[in-house]
Amino acid sequence: MRVLGIETSCDETGVAVYDGRRGLLLGHAVHSQVALHADYGGVVPELASRDHVRKTLPLIEHVLAAAGLDGRELGGVAYTAGPGLVGALLVGAVVARALAWGWGVPTLAVHHMEGHLLAPLMEADPPAFPFVALLVSGGHTQLIEVAGLGRYRLLGDTRDDAVGEAFDKTAKLLGLGYPGGPALARLADDGDPKRFTFPRPMTDRPGLDFSFSGLKTHALVTLRDLAPDDRAAHADVARAFQDAVVETLAIKCRRALRATGLRTLVVAGGVSANRALRARLEQMATAEGGVAHFPRPEFCTDNGAMIAHAGALRLAAGEAPTADLAVRPRWPLDELHPPVRA
Ligand code: KG4
Ligand code: ZN
């Protein structure tokens, strides 16, 4: 079944067609709004919605034409229904519903984080259920026990900032602009790992919850004693911050593998593009006698392929199409169910 996926939950317009029967991506495109929001230091919701209005249809036309497909040949249209910005989500929902009605094909509301979580299944040698998933994005930091499609048990969550948010806020302190995560990671490559040591929050007590806001404060206090134009010192701070995040996540992932008795770790969401994190988690999983899976870097951050893929899996499992136009800006992942047949 070939499914069109539409992602508009935040500041990327993502469109893709995934062929579920062949396990093949037939085409995809992402339009990033980074330049649009850069002057404001963060995403401006109204500007995000308006840009999705401008970009979604042309992007769909482009992806379908490049794949040589007519909309009537599709098995369905999947769109991100949440979590995310309400206005941005509504654009994707309305476009998906209108096109699907016109083409006479079913529509399916997809959970953005389920899209992220299942993205590694699009890679060669995909992970098999059950596994432990670490979801690290701009809005989420969660450890989840995944028994199967739609069978998610929350093991741990952040008490304050999400990891991506902590990267972005610390990057701002370092004068790196928005979104600062990738820029901070590049600066950290030049840093001295021995100059500063940041704490590993909440690793000295049992449990799988996280807290990352203290690391940002730690960076702020450290930076106060440094000259604003001292790039080498800034790189050392970036390195200490990233090392602390990576090590904290590795400790908690190891704990989750041991607590569940599982050996497969799946890592997804924007921060899973971070090279230091990928290397450390791969090393940890191997040391535990297991294996770690990641999406290819372009499918770590927001994209349409993960939505087309999750939609294709659910429709192929017989899930009933979504009848209403509702979006859910807040939508806990563990409220999802396995596919419910029509
Ligand atoms: O999944 P995503 O694209 O959007 C959300 O659903 O939130 O994640 C975006 C987040 C941002 O906070 C961004 O700074 C972070 O992922 N990010 C990174 C890297 N690439 C993206 N953080 C650290 N290192 C990276 N290489
Ligand atoms: Zn995301």
Side-chain angles (χ1 to χ4, degrees):
M1 173 180 320
R2 289 174 297 211
V3 174
L4 173 70
I6 302 173
E7 156 63 37
T8 64
S9 68
C10 189
D11 59 347
E12 257 101 26
T13 315
V15 171
V17 180
Y18 186 79
D19 184 334
R21 193 174 50 80
R22 290 193 287 164
L24 200 65
L25 196 62
L26 301 180
H28 80 104
V30 175
H31 167 74
S32 168
Q33 300 181 354
V34 162
L36 182 70
H37 302 289
D39 288 348
Y40 304 92
V43 179
V44 183
E46 184 56 27
L47 292 182
S49 310
R50 289 174 192 213
D51 202 52
H52 289 306
V53 169
R54 279 190 292 267
K55 298 294 170 16
T56 308
L57 271 174
L59 217 53
I60 292 171
E61 279 170 358
H62 165 74
V63 167
L64 287 180
L69 281 173
D70 183 274
R72 293 171 196 84
E73 299 175 81
L74 295 170
V77 179
Y79 66 94
T80 304
L85 302 169
V86 64
L89 291 167
L90 275 168
V91 177
V94 168
V95 170
R97 279 316 296 258
L99 289 176
W101 265 320
W103 292 331
V105 302
T107 321
L108 196 71
V110 169
H111 191 292
H112 180 82
M113 297 312 291
E114 180 173 67
H116 275 305
L117 189 156
L118 298 172
L121 272 68
M122 281 189 280
E123 302 301 326
D125 191 20
F129 299 119
F131 52 76
V132 169
L134 173 70
L135 295 181
V136 276
S137 71
H140 291 80
T141 306
Q142 295 183 325
L143 273 164
I144 292 151
E145 183 175 359
V146 180
L149 183 61
R151 296 172 65 201
Y152 310 128
R153 187 167 72 93
L154 187 65
L155 301 171
D157 207 339
T158 184
R159 302 255 174 110
D160 39 59
D161 291 355
V163 182
E165 191 181 356
F167 261 97
D168 294 341
K169 286 178 174 170
T170 305
K172 206 174 221 173
L173 296 175
L174 290 163
L176 296 175
Y178 149 87
L184 191 156
R186 280 193 296 277
L187 185 61
D189 283 343
D190 299 334
D192 173 0
K194 299 207 178 65
R195 170 111 180 251
F196 304 111
T197 304
F198 282 26
R200 272 69 173 143
M202 294 183 65
T203 54
D204 58 350
R205 65 191 98 157
L208 294 168
D209 282 345
F210 304 94
S211 164
F212 289 105
S213 67
L215 286 179
K216 167 197 63 195
T217 312
H218 206 88
L220 180 69
V221 172
T222 308
L223 282 167
R224 270 190 199 141
D225 298 330
L226 302 171
D229 57 352
D230 187 346
R231 188 186 178 277
H234 279 63
D236 298 339
V237 171
R239 178 61 186 259
F241 169 83
Q242 179 173 273
D243 282 355
V245 168
V246 166
E247 199 47 36
T248 301
L249 292 173
I251 291 168
K252 293 289 167 87
C253 285
R254 183 170 56 216
R255 233 180 242 179
L257 288 176
R258 290 182 181 174
T260 55
L262 296 172
R263 288 285 163 270
T264 306
L265 177 69
V266 161
V267 189
V271 185
S272 67
N274 185 281
R275 278 190 291 114
L277 180 66
R278 291 167 86 100
R280 178 72 185 97
L281 291 180
E282 204 155 81
Q283 180 195 41
M284 182 281 293
T286 308
E288 292 293 298
V291 59
H293 292 264
F294 307 85
R296 74 194 78 166
E298 64 180 324
F299 293 159
C300 289
T301 44
D302 290 350
N303 64 86
M306 67 184 196
I307 303 305
H309 171 252
L313 290 185
R314 282 189 170 270
L315 285 169
E319 171 122 358
T322 308
D324 61 14
L325 238 176
V327 294
R328 286 192 64 179
R330 290 176 182 276
W331 188 3
L333 182 67
D334 54 1
E335 283 185 13
L336 287 183
H337 300 287
V340 180
R341 290 184 177 274

